[in-house]
């Protein structure tokens, strides 16, 4: 906008033991539990991908027809510390809106995907040229995390979407941006996904953007779509689908 922001499981088993066979079955059960515990301990912890590896996995021009895909410029990417919110719980959402990988990623990568109008160039009418200026622009951010970092980051986004539904103030670049509403949307991608329509008050006028996030393994992808026209009517499905396909 202006400055362009688990599951516990339990099992119980009831066993009917005979006087002569109970001890043997208990021993077998203990052995099985021991094997399971050893197997779990031997499982390697998730390791984050490097920045170079993420660069190979993030969407590129060849992945998106009808879009112009650009690598984010240094000026487009700001550190997480440069963006804050008046409500601490809303910070993850503000990051997702601001080309920042939520949480504490070991590495990240960013792209811009600009929807190309059907008619452009010298043959475009004044109305079509204006439409080109208002073409939706989607920022794409990939973050890779060690351990359960991606799950934790996704969880913080889910919580923020609920706690910040009534709005919050985003501070960045020396300016305050008033978000008035965060409404949930439906989206499917990766292992788990979330989406919202975010409405901002821009000098008394509503400015609508779409925010999407999905997790695939220990990689979290986030998308923020805006238009200079002030409103984006649809989720960036093509961009989300292309990125999901590339992550596998």
């Amino acid at each position: 906008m202006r400055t362009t922001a688990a599951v516990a499981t339990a099992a119980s088993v009831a066993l009917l033991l005979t006087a002569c066979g109970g001890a043997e079955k208990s021993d077998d059960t203990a052995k099985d539990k021991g094997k399971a515990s050893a197997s779990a301990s031997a499982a390697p912890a998730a390791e984050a991908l490097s920045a170079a590896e993420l660069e190979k996995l993030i969407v590129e021009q060849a992945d998106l027809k009808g879009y112009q895909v650009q690598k984010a410029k240094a000026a487009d990417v700001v550190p997480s510390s440069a963006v804050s919110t008046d409500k601490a719980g809303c910070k993850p959402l503000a990051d997702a809106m601001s080309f920042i990988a939520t949480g504490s990623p070991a590495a990240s990568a960013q792209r811009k995907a600009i929807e190309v109008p059907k008619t452009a160039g010298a043959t475009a009418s004044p109305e079509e040229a204006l439409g080109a200026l208002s073409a939706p622009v989607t920022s794409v951010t990939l973050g890779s995390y060690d351990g359960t970092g991606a799950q934790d980051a996704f969880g913080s986004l889910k919580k923020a979407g609920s706690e910040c539904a009534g709005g919050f103030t985003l501070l960045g670049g020396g300016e305050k941006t008033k978000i008035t509403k965060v409404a949930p949307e439906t989206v499917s991608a990766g292992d788990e996904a979330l989406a919202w329509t975010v409405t901002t008050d821009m000098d008394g006028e509503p400015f609508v953007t779409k925010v999407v996030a999905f997790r695939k393994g220990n990689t979290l992808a986030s998308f923020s779509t805006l238009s200079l026209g002030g409103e984006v009517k649809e989720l960036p499905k093509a961009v989300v689908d292309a990125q999901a396909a590339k992550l596998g």
Side-chain angles (χ1 to χ4, degrees):
M1 293 166 283
R2 286 176 186 161
T3 57
T4 359
V7 181
T9 62
S12 62
V13 179
L15 299 177
L16 181 61
L17 303 178
T18 62
C20 59
E24 181 178 349
K25 291 181 180 179
S26 294
D27 288 343
D28 289 343
T29 300
K31 290 177 181 178
D32 289 342
K33 288 184 177 179
K35 290 178 181 179
S37 178
S39 177
S41 299
E47 292 186 3
L49 299 174
S50 67
E53 289 172 315
L54 285 180
E55 285 291 331
K56 296 178 180 179
L57 291 172
I58 198 165
V59 288
E60 297 288 5
Q61 186 67 65
D63 305 311
L64 275 169
K65 291 184 179 181
Y67 284 80
Q68 182 184 88
V69 182
Q70 305 173 352
K71 186 171 183 177
K73 298 178 181 178
D76 295 328
V77 184
V78 298
S80 180
S81 58
V83 174
S84 61
T85 56
D86 62 337
K87 300 177 183 178
C90 301
K91 166 69 169 166
L93 190 54
D95 285 349
M97 297 169 63
S98 308
F99 244 152
I100 299 171
T102 300
S104 302
S108 62
Q110 295 83 11
R111 291 291 186 274
K112 278 185 180 180
I114 306 168
E115 190 172 336
V116 178
K118 293 181 180 180
T119 303
T123 60
S125 67
E127 291 78 10
E128 289 168 334
L130 181 60
L133 291 174
S134 299
V137 179
T138 299
S139 63
V140 184
T141 304
L142 291 188
S144 187
Y145 306 72
D146 288 314
T148 63
Q151 291 92 327
D152 295 340
F154 186 87
S156 70
L157 278 167
K158 186 174 183 178
K159 186 176 181 180
S162 176
E163 292 185 350
C164 308
F168 61 95
T169 299
L170 186 156
L171 300 91
E175 294 190 33
K176 294 182 179 180
T177 301
K178 180 63 180 177
I179 284 80
T180 59
K181 184 179 181 180
V182 179
E185 291 268 8
T186 300
V187 67
S188 178
D191 297 328
E192 50 186 346
L194 295 165
W196 305 270
T197 291
V198 179
T199 304
T200 303
D201 181 354
M202 298 292 281
D203 299 323
E205 294 294 328
F207 187 96
V208 177
T209 65
K210 302 289 186 178
V211 179
V212 180
F214 75 80
R215 180 185 65 82
K216 179 65 178 180
N218 62 332
T219 298
L220 186 67
S222 57
F223 312 78
S224 181
T225 303
L226 58 84
S227 164
L228 291 178
E231 182 177 7
V232 179
K233 297 180 179 180
E234 300 176 345
L235 295 176
K237 188 176 185 304
V239 184
V240 173
D241 288 349
Q243 185 60 76
K246 200 152 187 182
L247 287 176

